[in-house]
Structures are given as structure tokens and as C-alpha cells.
Amino acid sequence: SLFYLCCYRYLEESGFISYIMNDIIKEIEELKNQLKGDMLTDMEIKDKIHNLEMKLNGTKPENTEIDCIGCGS
């Protein structure tokens, strides 16, 4: 809706969106530093990294019922 689009634009202009994105990037880097090279122990960490990367790219994870505010998908 127009309300959500206006809110998103305000948050983007205020720098809040980039602040959140920087936090996500930092969390991804921290998780990558925890990887050990063992597929079984790294699987959970890689899943968290993947989900965070999907948030960064604006894609919707499977099994989520929350719709994207920007595109409504």
C-alpha cells in the first residue's frame, strides 16, 4: 500500500535502512568467521548466512508468512 511505501522511503532517506543493512552484513561476516570447514557442523551457520543474505537481497525465505512490504510478494 501507499502507506508502507511512504514509510519505507522515509526510513531509506533517514539512513535507517542502510544502518540495518550494515548490521546484517556485519552479522554475516561474524558467521562466516565461525565456519570450520566441516559440512555437518557448518550446516546451521550456512543456513543462517543464507537467510541473512536473502534479507539483504530482498528475497522472501520459504516457510515465511510475512509478505514483503515493498513488492507485496
Side-chain angles (χ1 to χ4, degrees):
S1 86
L2 183 59
F3 173 74
Y4 290 117
L5 183 58
C6 290
C7 289
Y8 181 81
R9 285 188 182 155
Y10 171 77
L11 292 173
E12 190 174 43
E13 290 172 3
S14 69
F16 188 73
I17 299 293
S18 62
Y19 176 79
I20 296 297
M21 291 179 82
N22 286 335
D23 279 353
I24 293 173
I25 291 168
K26 198 181 306 181
E27 189 174 350
I28 290 171
E29 291 303 317
E30 290 172 1
L31 287 169
K32 284 183 177 180
N33 289 333
Q34 294 177 21
L35 294 172
K36 305 289 185 210
D38 177 31
M39 186 178 80
L40 294 177
T41 57
D42 288 348
M43 199 174 335
E44 185 177 336
I45 295 171
K46 286 187 175 189
D47 186 50
K48 290 178 184 178
I49 292 170
H50 176 71
N51 287 333
L52 289 170
E53 287 174 341
M54 288 192 342
K55 283 183 183 180
L56 264 183
N57 297 328
T59 54
K60 181 178 172 182
E62 293 180 26
N63 303 333
T64 187
E65 296 184 22
I66 299 173
D67 289 339
C68 172
I69 293 172
C71 66
S73 64

